[in-house]
Amino acid sequence: MIQLADVSYAYPDSGRFVLEHVDLRIEPGTITGVVGASGAGKTTLAKILSGFIPHVDGGQLSGSVVIGGRDLSGLPLAACVSQVGLVIQNPFNQISGARYTVRGELAFGMENLGTPRDEMASRVAEVAGLLRITDLLDRSPYELSGGQQQLVAIASMLVLRTPVLVMDEPTSQLDPVGTRMVFGVLSRLRGAGTTIVVFEHKPELLHAHADRLHVLAGRRIAASGSPGEILSDPRTDQWGVSATRYTRAARLAREQGLVPAEAPLPVSFEQAAAFFGWSARTRPPSPEDAR
Amino acid sequence: MSIAIEFVDLHFRYPGGVEAVRGVSLTVSAGERVAIVGENGAGKTTLVRHLNGILRPTSGTVLVGGASTRDRSIAQLAAQVGYIFQNPDEQLFASTIGADVEFGPRNLGCTPSEAAARAASALATVQLQDQAGLHPHHLSPSERKRVALAGVLAMQTPVVVLDEPTTGQDARGVEIVAGVVDSIAAQGRTVVAITHDMDFCAEHFDRVVVMADGLVQADGDTRAVFDQVGTLERAAVEPPQLLRLAAHLGWHARPLTPAEFVDASTREPRDLGTRVD
């Protein structure tokens, strides 16, 4: 389990708190989404969850960050890294530059953690297969497209088999096919017990894959709930969170008095099909349609 | 000012041997707004990088404003084609955001005061006017993308090329980018955008070009292209959310926006809306 209690943070020499009094509890073996506007502190929270704050970035961190029963601030960075894998927002910066091939890049983290050599090879092969980058293994990480680099960055964390994965916009460079594949892999890892925290803007994906969403706004957790609850909340605009087109169309239909005001708003395709198909049937949508 | 662009049987092969564009012929009229869609590796970025001369045809011709790009330098083309890269860090370099945005107009021969005025106006359009004095690296990647957008706006080029403009943008960022696309188009300037965001594409572009394997697979009016389900599937492109929903509900209408969708919902025959289990 991950537990943040009363966490506040200011970057070095800024004196301005980016996060204030954040309380957050994340259950093991779940996919948790964190949403919020740009500048709400998502990247900062990702770094706190992985120990990069305060170990690398410094700054003024208060409160406690407990992962697997241990407070990260009391652990050396090397111990944090073996607990939590962080996939950073810009894949161009995740590549270490220490190795000449994708294969070497993927093994780099394991070399630092002392993984036996033959196990390294089998983990690289397994993860490359999962993310469909086997054909890139002998190429230079620098001659790849943005989407391919992003898959390599994700793979470089998956090979470490950390119990927790923190991913800051892991699909920003990917097309819809690649995006779905990555979330499919994350769902499999969750099934195997990995705890995944993903910072992501795409509402359809979050609804399909996340167990729970937390909204970062006003330097704190402004709301928490199921993806259906959060993404259909009337405050999404105010939070800077994207609603699906299904939700937007349903809101508009409700504003125009075309559907009962109490009808729960759809988030997914299936819910929208029920919502907009309702008048052809005999009853208005019930809460079960949208939850 | 408004000009057309044209690709005539364009082929492009990278030095490594990959032929990324394999014979594309495409005309974009002056003032049109065209979205190019397709999966990673379809050749979209390779195609549009010919518009500002970063890439030169292996064979075939690219015409900007009726003249071939072959004999024009990148600097000459920059006066006509503004290009926003997928990764903004490839194009931001000055020590302040304001200076970065002024650089383009200064290079095109604007006076310092005119360049400053254009930069201020462009930064206001992307809602970063209060950040003009900061170093670009004080901004998030999505804000840096908006700085790059402002830089191209300030150049007031007749053609604007956007590579993945909504990537990483939050809800407000997408709205700002959409507002910029609408206003550029309203000024009669030609807009070509590459995007994976089909909903954004449906709401802001008149014409869609689908690419796969270095070739154009479909091209036409947005509504008509998104109705070519088989072609889209082969190109790994998923139609916009509301179009998919309307088709699933058995509607005749192909709504592109929430407003069109809600409007259509009041007109569609109800007995068709029952394909829901």
Side-chain angles (χ1 to χ4, degrees), chain A residues 69-149:
Chain A
R70 295 196 291 180
D71 196 313
L72 287 194
S73 60
L75 292 178
L77 182 62
C80 297
V81 170
S82 67
Q83 284 294 304
V84 185
L86 172 65
V87 177
I88 60 177
Q89 194 176 95
N90 189 341
F92 312 104
N93 296 336
Q94 184 115 26
I95 290 163
S96 70
R99 294 293 180 272
Y100 298 113
T101 63
V102 169
R103 190 188 306 279
E105 181 64 37
L106 295 185
F108 182 65
M110 289 188 283
E111 288 168 12
N112 290 331
L113 294 175
T115 310
R117 189 151 289 278
D118 48 345
E119 192 183 332
M120 279 192 217
S122 70
R123 285 200 204 175
V124 166
E126 183 199 336
V127 168
L130 269 180
L131 292 172
R132 296 179 208 159
I133 53 170
T134 305
D135 57 330
L136 305 180
L137 286 175
D138 294 316
R139 289 176 55 185
S140 161
Y142 290 105
E143 64 176 31
L144 305 179
S145 73
Q148 290 168 330
Q149 282 185 337

Side-chain angles (χ1 to χ4, degrees), chain A residues 187-224:
Chain A
S187 290
R188 281 174 64 174
L189 291 172
R190 165 184 53 189
T194 306
T195 306
I196 297 158
V197 185
V198 60
F199 297 75
E200 179 62 74
H201 289 297
K202 298 169 185 166
E204 242 191 331
L205 271 177
L206 289 169
H207 188 266
H209 295 280
D211 299 295
R212 199 165 174 78
L213 295 188
H214 299 281
V215 179
L216 259 184
R219 295 190 287 279
R220 64 185 71 212
I221 303 290
S224 301

Side-chain angles (χ1 to χ4, degrees), chain B residues 96-171:
Chain B
T96 68
I97 287 157
D100 212 300
V101 177
E102 282 176 33
F103 177 80
R106 288 294 296 278
N107 245 5
L108 295 180
C110 288
T111 63
S113 64
E114 190 187 345
R118 284 195 192 184
S121 151
L123 282 169
T125 306
V126 299
Q127 298 185 24
L128 288 172
Q129 63 278 17
D130 298 334
Q131 280 83 359
L134 297 179
H135 190 280
H137 288 104
H138 283 111
L139 300 184
S140 69
S142 56
E143 288 169 324
R144 291 204 290 278
K145 186 106 182 182
R146 276 156 46 202
V147 174
L149 193 55
V152 168
L153 282 179
M155 293 174 74
Q156 300 181 358
T157 51
V159 177
V160 176
V161 179
L162 305 143
D163 195 349
E164 289 290 350
T166 61
T167 293
Q169 299 290 335
D170 63 5

Side-chain angles (χ1 to χ4, degrees), chain B residues 12-14 17-22 41-44 46 211 213-215:
Chain B
F12 182 80
R13 187 184 295 277
Y14 282 98
V18 177
E19 191 176 15
V21 173
R22 303 192 296 132
K44 309 182 297 292
T46 303
M211 284 188 74
D213 304 322
L215 292 168

Side-chain angles (χ1 to χ4, degrees), chain A residues 38 89 172 175 245 249 279-280, chain B residues 39-40 141 167 170 203 241 270:
Chain A
S38 294
Q89 194 176 95
S172 60
D175 62 20
R245 262 53 176 194
S279 53
Chain B
E39 62 184 329
N40 288 349
T167 293
D170 63 5
E203 288 166 6
Q241 293 175 2
R270 291 300 179 188

Side-chain angles (χ1 to χ4, degrees), chain A residues 8-31:
Chain A
S8 299
Y9 179 72
Y11 278 98
D13 308 321
S14 73
R16 193 174 59 87
F17 279 85
V18 183
L19 297 174
E20 284 182 323
H21 310 297
V22 169
D23 293 306
L24 187 63
R25 184 190 159 96
I26 292 169
E27 299 300 327
T30 58
I31 296 180

